[in-house]
């Protein structure tokens, strides 16, 4: 298990190194000079050159890459071109909204999807199964921004249970902040839970037809006991994969939901900095997202091994 | 009172009738074998007794275990019986165990479901049971996972699970079909001992009459969901009343009429000191790579018109050797030449076409979306100018006729054929290009005995009409014995013995060959009028 973890960890570090290089190169290739963009089209060439020097854009690319990576390792993400504030601080502020929101949504999605998927699998082909499958079909099909607006309409405007948007900040109180994240989390969780429930169901159905499920029944377990004791853990591997993918998506993919609910999250930050050619912010946020994806994959790999002993012994 | 009495059991799923008026009984301590070919309903009979049937299955009649009618019991009552009064052992030990639970937990589970024992007591009993089936905890700790055990060891775990509570009735569904012959012999011995020791009734489902004749006190022969004949084993073999029983018996020990091999050495395949290594995963980061030697210094020759058998148990390297002969595996040392040229990707396609293969699973080796005509003409791509138009049609028709199919079958798809017909198509595909040498890789192992007998006859006929040379690879000694002139016995990557087939079988020299032949179940020499 330790060997396995170390190997996964090594692959994590290598992936990060490759990703940082790719991100740097791609963003450097993108057209548009941040200095001339910030100064407008009428700026004097000397002024642009001066700003380029100030921003560190005039040094060779290799050196800039190393500076950037070196800084990130020490926690220094550089200074935003447009806002003139440390990028690390900007990201940290947004992270405090996006990370809890992603976790909140993922928890909700899992809490909905697991029972729904298991219920449907246990009643394959019966009305209960069809109802769940119909609902998930709808969940996948409904656009989440429309669903978000419906949530606002019903729960914020008509019922006045929640505010329609904005984020008070964690210093104003935990529950208040959680409350303001609730509608966005539901809006994000719904399509995800629909996908996850379908994966759970089909994975479980595959397992239910395995020989060892018949063995379990032959021991005297009821259908339901066999499903819980022998089916679930085996069915979990594809489900874990999807959960990992969904978390990465939720962390940055909530940009539309952040717009609908006026949340100062990562999605909006990256959108704003791309439109302002604030390359250092874009690079850093993208790098952070890549890091989170790779980290989540690493955790999923560890979870696989925890679930399936065959992976542990494979060196 | 009998332990198990089945009375007029009929079973249908939807509109399909699976079993019709099945009646038999099993006494305590008795071994009753239920035999028949695929589709005979023998497994469904077993699952009916377990009441583990597909949801839409409807049964009528009576299944009484010690007087209790199982068909009238509720599902919770049945759960209390399964695993406690009736244990079951399955065919596929590789998949019958839950891969994510330890063997100890899986054996304990049977005990914990049905008794009030504490986990510690259950563990103690699981330990005893595993020891009893030949897996002592000092060598096979309870914390082992199924993937850390071999097929035979897993089957022992499945048996331990089934007998953990000393059930009155044990049902074994093809318990040794997936195992090697030496392992099969051990598992059969174990089952026999357990029946005697615990006084269980054993209902054994098997397609293998030779296994049946060794094991069973009584035999039930089934066909198309009906019992055609049943009786005490010796009496039944001595006086087979039903023609189907006789046909089954004849097919099981089928001897083909093989023409004499042509004289005069004319080597077409030469394997010289062949070595094939597989790299193993590194144990440490910079440790030198270890290798597993799958084929170790093998040398043999096949002459024109010769029929050679290759026998060995799983993992002995026979599949690797087959692939190497086909040029699909590189050798680390030594050489394999066919028709005087080294086999491999560089071989001239026209020469390569002289070497064809027929695999075990006919369905898996065909593209299901292609018509038979396209499938059997696949080897033509090896020829510089493949026949087209009428010549192609004639070639297809000839090949199909040679294997006993009709030329019209060329326009059908593969799913329209039965398993035996598919194997005929596979042989037609190999034949169409008039090869010098055909490799039959377990080509009859997946077939029912009556179909197997037909295919073996076909191979014998073809070797007469086409002067065929072949290498016949099989784990089944009785088949190799009848269909080859010469045999190679392989173990751990080496050929331990080779020689004239009759000679090797009647007077094996190497201890391993002796073990193999002793372990293989044989049909009794009865039934031909003289009991």
């Amino acid at each position: 298990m330790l060997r396995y973890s170390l190997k996964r960890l090594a692959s994590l570090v290598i992936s990060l190194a490759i990703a940082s290089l790719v991100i740097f190169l791609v963003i450097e290739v993108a057209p548009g000079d941040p200095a001339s963009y910030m100064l407008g089209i009428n700026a004097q060439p000397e002024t642009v050159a001066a700003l380029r020097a100030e921003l560190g854009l005039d040094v060779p690319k290799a050196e800039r890459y190393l500076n950037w990576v070196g800084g990130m390792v020490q926690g220094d993400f550089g200074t935003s071109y447009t806002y003139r504030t440390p990028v690390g601080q900007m990201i940290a502020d947004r992270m405090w909204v996006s990370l809890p929101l992603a976790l909140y949504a993922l928890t909700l999605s899992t809490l909905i999807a697991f029972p729904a998927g298991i219920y449907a699998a246990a009643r394959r082909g019966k009305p209960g199964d069809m109802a769940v499958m119909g609902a998930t079909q709808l969940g996948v099909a409904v656009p989440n921004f429309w669903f978000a607006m419906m949530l606002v309409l019903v729960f914020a405007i008509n019922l006045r249970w929640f505010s329609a948007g904005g984020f008070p900040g964690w210093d104003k109180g935990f529950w208040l902040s959680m409350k303001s994240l609730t509608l966005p989390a539901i809006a994000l969780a719904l399509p995800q839970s629909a996908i996850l429930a379908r994966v759970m169901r089909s994975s479980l159905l595959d397992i239910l037809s395995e020989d060892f499920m018949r063995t379990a029944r032959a021991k005297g377990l009821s259908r339901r006991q066999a499903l819980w004791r022998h089916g679930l853990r085996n069915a979990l591997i594809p489900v874990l994969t999807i959960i990992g993918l969904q978390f990465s998506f939720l962390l940055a993919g909530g940009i539309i939901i952040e717009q609908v609910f006026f949340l100062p999250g990562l999605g909006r930050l990256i959108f704003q900095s791309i439109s302002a050619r604030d390359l250092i912010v874009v690079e850093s946020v993208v790098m952070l997202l890549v890091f989170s994806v790779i980290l989540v994959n690493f955790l999923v790999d560890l979870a696989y091994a925890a679930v399936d002993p065959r992976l542990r012994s494979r060196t | 009172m009998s332990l198990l009495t089945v009375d007029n059991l009929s079973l249908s799923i939807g509109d399909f009738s699976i079993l019709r008026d099945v009646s038999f009984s099993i006494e305590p301590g008795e071994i009753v074998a239920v035999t028949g070919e695929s589709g005979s309903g023998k497994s469904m009979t077993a699952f009916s007794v377990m009441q583990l049937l597909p949801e839409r299955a409807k049964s009528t009649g009576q299944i009484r275990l010690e007087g209790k009618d199982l068909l009238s019991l509720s599902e919770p009552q049945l759960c209390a019986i399964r695993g406690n009064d009736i244990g079951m052992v399955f065919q596929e030990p590789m998949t019958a165990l839950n891969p994510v639970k330890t063997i100890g937990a899986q054996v304990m589970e049977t005990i914990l479901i049905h008794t009030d024992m504490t986990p510690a007591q259950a563990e103690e009993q699981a330990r005893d049971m595993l020891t009893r089936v030949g897996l002592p905890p000092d060598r096979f700790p309870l914390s082992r996972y199924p993937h850390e055990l071999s097929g035979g060891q897993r089957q022992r775990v499945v048996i331990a699970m089934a007998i953990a509570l000393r059930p009155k009735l044990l049902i074994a569904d093809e318990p040794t079909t997936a195992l090697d012959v030496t392992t099969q012999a051990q598992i059969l011995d174990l089952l026999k001992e357990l029946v005697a020791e615990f006084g269980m009734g054993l209902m054994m489902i098997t397609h293998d009459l030779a296994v049946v004749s060794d094991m069973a006190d009584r035999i039930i022969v089934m066909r198309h969901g009906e019992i055609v004949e049943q009786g005490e084993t010796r009496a039944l073999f001595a006086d087979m009343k039903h023609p189907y029983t006789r046909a089954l018996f004849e097919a099981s020990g089928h001897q083909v009429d093989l023409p004499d091999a042509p004289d005069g050495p004319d080597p077409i395949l030469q394997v010289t000191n062949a070595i094939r290594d597989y790299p193993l995963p590194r144990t440490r980061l910079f440790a030198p790579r270890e290798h597993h030697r799958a084929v170790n210094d093998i040398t043999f020759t096949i002459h024109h018109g010769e029929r050679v058998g290759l026998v060995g148990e799983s993992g002995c390297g026979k599949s690797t050797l087959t692939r190497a002969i086909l040029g699909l595996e590189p050798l680390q040392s030594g050489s394999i030449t066919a028709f005087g040229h080294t086999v491999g990707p560089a071989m001239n396609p026209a020469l390569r076409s002289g070497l064809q293969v027929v695999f075990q699973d006919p369905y898996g080796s065909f593209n299901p979306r292609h018509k038979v005509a396209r499938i059997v003409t696949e080897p033509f791509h090896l020829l510089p100018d493949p026949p087209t138009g009428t010549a192609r049609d004639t070639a297809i028709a000839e090949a199909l006729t040679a294997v006993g199919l009709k030329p019209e079958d060329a326009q059908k798809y593969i799913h329209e054929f039965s398993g035996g017909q598919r194997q005929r198509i596979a042989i037609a595909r190999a034949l169409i290009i008039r090869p010098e040498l055909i490799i039959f890789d377990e080509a009859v192992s997946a077939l029912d005995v009556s179909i197997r007998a037909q295919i073996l006859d076909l191979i014998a006929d073809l070797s007469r009409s086409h002067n065929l040379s072949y290498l016949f690879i099989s784990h089944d000694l009785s088949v190799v014995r009848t269909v080859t002139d010469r045999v190679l016995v392989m173990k751990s990557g080496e050929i331990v013995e080779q020689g004239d087939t009759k000679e090797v079988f009647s007077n094996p020299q190497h201890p391993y060959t002796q073990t193999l032949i002793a372990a293989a179940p044989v049909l009794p020499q009865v039934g031909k009028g003289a009991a």
Side-chain angles (χ1 to χ4, degrees):
Chain A
M1 184 72 188
L2 187 68
R3 276 182 60 82
Y4 174 84
S5 311
L6 287 176
K7 284 188 99 157
R8 302 318 309 165
L9 199 62
S11 106
L12 177 147
V13 172
I14 295 168
S15 310
L16 278 181
I18 295 172
S20 68
L21 194 62
V22 171
I23 291 166
F24 185 79
L25 290 176
V26 167
I27 288 181
E28 285 302 315
V29 167
D33 176 37
S36 40
Y37 194 86
M38 284 159 72
L39 293 169
I41 44 171
N42 296 324
Q44 299 294 318
E46 300 82 52
T47 335
V48 174
L51 185 59
R52 285 179 62 88
E54 193 192 327
L55 295 176
L57 294 174
D58 55 344
V59 294
K61 286 190 172 145
E63 201 184 322
R64 272 174 58 201
Y65 171 70
L66 290 178
N67 287 343
W68 175 58
V69 173
M72 273 194 304
V73 171
Q74 293 162 28
D76 174 12
F77 288 79
T79 307
S80 159
Y81 301 155
T82 41
Y83 297 99
R84 302 299 178 107
T85 49
V87 177
Q89 189 55 47
M90 287 171 73
I91 293 178
D93 290 346
R94 307 303 180 106
M95 224 27 194
W96 276 107
V97 179
S98 286
L99 191 63
L101 178 59
L103 287 173
Y104 194 175
L106 196 69
T107 310
L108 282 181
S109 137
T110 311
L111 285 179
I112 300 167
F114 272 48
I118 296 168
Y119 175 88
R123 283 168 188 72
R124 177 185 199 169
K126 292 182 180 162
D129 178 27
M130 290 186 212
V132 172
M133 282 300 99
T136 58
Q137 194 79 62
L138 207 63
V140 174
V142 167
N144 64 358
F145 63 88
W146 178 84
F147 182 65
M149 292 191 293
M150 290 305 113
L151 286 176
V152 171
L153 208 61
V154 175
F155 293 102
I157 297 176
N158 289 342
L159 295 171
R160 299 188 172 277
W161 289 355
F162 297 93
S163 64
F167 184 71
W170 293 101
D171 48 344
K172 299 284 189 315
F174 176 77
W175 292 112
L176 195 64
S177 302
M178 284 303 277
K179 199 176 159 190
S180 70
L181 290 180
T182 298
L183 289 187
I186 293 174
L188 280 171
L190 184 85
Q192 305 300 333
S193 70
I195 295 168
L196 201 57
R198 294 181 85 92
V199 173
M200 184 80 219
R201 172 182 179 270
S202 67
S203 170
L204 205 48
L205 285 180
D206 283 347
I207 296 295
L208 289 182
S209 62
E210 290 281 345
D211 285 352
F212 62 80
M213 295 303 290
R214 193 180 54 189
T215 312
R217 296 273 286 136
K219 279 178 180 178
L221 291 175
S222 70
R223 204 174 284 276
R224 169 189 284 263
Q225 285 169 321
L227 187 147
W228 283 98
R229 294 194 198 174
H230 293 274
L232 209 53
R233 197 163 143 196
N234 278 291
L236 226 45
I237 289 231
V239 175
L240 284 173
T241 312
I242 299 295
I243 290 182
L245 291 174
Q246 291 192 339
F247 180 75
S248 309
F249 167 78
L250 288 172
L251 199 56
I255 180 162
I256 295 173
I257 296 297
E258 285 176 12
Q259 290 290 359
V260 172
F261 289 98
F262 307 111
L263 293 175
L266 277 179
R268 281 177 84 192
L269 177 65
I270 197 167
F271 180 70
Q272 287 162 358
S273 44
I274 288 174
S275 17
R277 292 289 182 284
D278 200 340
L279 295 191
I280 187 87
V281 178
V282 178
E283 277 172 355
S284 302
V285 176
V286 171
M287 192 61 216
L288 183 81
L289 291 176
V290 168
F291 176 70
S292 75
V293 169
I294 292 174
L295 183 71
V296 167
N297 281 346
F298 172 69
L299 294 176
V300 168
D301 280 344
L302 292 191
Y304 284 164
V307 168
D308 192 337
R310 283 168 297 185
L311 291 173
R312 268 175 253 162
S313 54
R314 193 182 302 160
T315 49
Chain B
M1 182 176 54
S2 294
L3 171 60
L4 177 78
T5 317
V6 175
D7 255 337
N8 294 316
L9 173 69
S10 295
L11 175 75
S12 59
I13 299 176
D15 291 335
F16 289 100
S17 166
I18 309 287
L19 298 175
R20 279 178 302 279
D21 284 330
V22 170
S23 302
F24 64 95
S25 66
I26 298 177
E27 304 298 324
E30 190 184 33
I31 300 178
V32 175
V34 181
T35 186
E37 298 188 285
S38 40
S40 64
K42 56 190 192 303
S43 285
M44 275 302 170
T45 308
F47 286 115
S48 296
V49 176
M50 283 304 268
Q51 281 295 295
L52 283 178
L53 293 165
E55 262 174 62
R56 296 184 311 126
K58 282 199 173 58
S59 2
T60 58
Q62 280 191 328
I63 304 172
R64 286 197 308 273
L65 183 75
E66 293 190 314
K68 252 183 304 187
D69 186 6
L70 299 182
L71 290 181
S72 66
L73 296 185
S74 68
E75 182 57 29
Q77 286 170 313
L78 287 168
C79 281
I81 287 177
R82 288 186 205 120
N84 194 13
D85 296 326
I86 313 177
M88 185 152 182
V89 177
F90 301 93
Q91 174 170 0
E92 263 305 330
M94 299 318 248
T95 53
L97 292 169
N98 185 341
V100 305
K101 292 202 169 195
T102 62
I103 59 171
Q106 298 195 52
V107 177
M108 276 167 65
E109 188 175 32
T110 310
I111 303 165
L112 290 170
I113 294 169
H114 297 285
T115 65
D116 299 329
M117 278 190 215
T118 64
Q121 290 168 314
E123 195 181 317
E124 197 50 49
Q125 188 164 343
R127 208 184 299 274
D128 289 348
M129 278 302 162
L130 283 167
T131 311
R132 178 62 199 87
V133 299
L135 300 174
D138 48 324
R139 282 174 52 222
F140 302 94
L142 272 62
S143 57
R144 286 280 175 95
Y145 286 97
H147 70 273
E148 299 168 307
L149 303 178
S150 73
Q153 289 162 352
R154 290 188 204 190
Q155 196 61 302
R156 288 174 192 270
V157 177
V158 176
I159 293 174
M161 255 159 52
I163 60 156
L165 293 170
R166 299 178 172 247
K168 299 172 184 112
L169 176 67
L170 182 65
I171 302 176
D173 185 8
E174 303 271 7
T176 59
T177 307
L179 304 174
D180 281 325
V181 295
T182 48
T183 319
Q184 160 168 294
Q186 292 162 6
I187 295 288
L188 292 177
D189 282 343
L190 174 65
L191 285 173
K192 263 190 277 193
E193 284 166 31
L194 290 170
V195 166
E197 191 177 322
F198 294 178
M200 289 184 295
L202 172 62
M203 173 175 173
M204 176 140 149
I205 314 294
T206 176
H207 70 283
D208 190 335
L209 273 185
V211 165
V212 162
S213 66
D214 257 10
M215 274 287 279
D217 300 314
R218 270 187 318 118
I219 293 181
I220 297 170
V221 182
M222 290 187 76
R223 183 182 59 169
H224 304 328
E226 288 172 319
I227 294 180
V228 298
E229 188 164 358
Q230 58 176 308
E232 192 268 321
T233 303
R234 293 176 61 91
L236 186 124
F237 277 128
D239 180 21
M240 290 181 268
K241 294 203 167 56
H242 198 278
Y244 179 71
T245 314
R246 283 200 290 275
L248 205 58
F249 187 84
E250 201 287 319
S252 299
H254 189 69
Q255 300 293 315
V256 302
D257 179 17
L258 203 63
D260 291 332
D263 292 328
D266 174 14
I268 50 174
L269 180 81
Q270 206 137 24
V271 179
T272 318
N273 303 111
I275 290 180
R276 173 71 177 118
D277 287 334
Y278 288 112
L280 294 172
R282 287 174 210 274
T283 44
R284 285 204 325 274
L285 192 53
F286 296 105
R289 261 221 136 97
E290 308 257 322
H291 291 270
H292 168 65
R293 185 151 287 189
V295 170
N296 187 8
D297 198 17
I298 282 187
T299 302
F300 68 93
T301 308
I302 297 179
H303 296 281
H304 183 73
E306 205 178 16
R307 282 77 45 126
V308 179
L310 176 62
V311 295
E313 298 188 293
S314 48
C316 74
K318 55 187 195 298
S319 302
T320 309
L321 181 62
T322 314
R323 287 198 302 271
I325 292 173
L326 291 167
L328 302 173
E329 294 257 353
L331 291 180
Q332 270 61 48
S333 157
S335 69
I336 298 178
T337 56
F339 329 115
H341 295 260
T342 306
V343 294
M347 197 178 184
N348 176 355
L351 272 176
R352 174 67 180 74
S353 72
L355 202 56
Q356 293 294 320
V357 63
V358 177
F359 292 107
Q360 170 171 8
D361 175 8
Y363 193 66
S365 66
F366 294 137
N367 184 332
R369 283 173 188 69
H370 288 175
K371 286 184 178 165
V372 168
R374 182 162 174 193
I375 286 170
V376 298
T377 51
E378 268 170 354
F380 278 163
H381 79 272
L382 291 165
L383 299 182
D385 54 333
T388 51
T390 329
R392 183 173 176 271
D393 293 343
T394 316
I396 296 170
E398 270 177 18
L400 289 177
T401 316
V403 298
L405 294 172
K406 289 194 284 291
E408 302 90 88
D409 290 329
Q411 295 313 312
K412 293 186 187 163
Y413 287 97
I414 209 71
H415 68 260
E416 298 172 63
F417 296 92
S418 68
Q421 288 172 322
R422 286 173 189 164
Q423 204 56 294
R424 286 171 190 269
I425 294 168
I427 295 173
R429 171 169 64 180
L431 273 184
I432 196 164
I433 202 158
R434 298 270 167 175
E436 297 279 326
L437 177 67
I438 297 185
I439 296 175
F440 292 101
D441 186 2
E442 299 278 4
V444 297
S445 304
L447 304 174
D448 272 326
V449 285
S450 58
I451 312 294
R452 186 178 77 189
Q454 291 167 15
I455 297 290
L456 291 177
D457 279 340
L458 172 67
I459 291 174
D461 289 347
L462 290 173
S463 65
R464 185 173 299 115
S465 59
H466 289 63
N467 198 9
L468 218 56
S469 326
Y470 54 77
L471 177 63
F472 195 97
I473 297 153
S474 181
H475 69 279
D476 189 333
L477 300 177
S478 65
V479 171
V480 171
R481 187 171 196 167
T482 164
V483 84
T484 65
D485 312 309
R486 203 150 60 80
V487 67
L488 315 170
V489 182
M490 204 168 163
K491 179 180 190 268
S492 317
E494 294 175 37
I495 290 178
V496 295
E497 182 163 1
Q498 58 175 311
D500 180 78
T501 303
K502 287 188 191 69
E503 196 86 351
V504 170
F505 276 89
S506 54
N507 186 17
Q509 297 302 312
H510 193 276
Y512 178 68
T513 318
Q514 291 164 355
T515 318
L516 266 188
I517 292 173
V522 283
L523 282 171
Q525 292 299 317
V526 290
K528 285 167 188 157

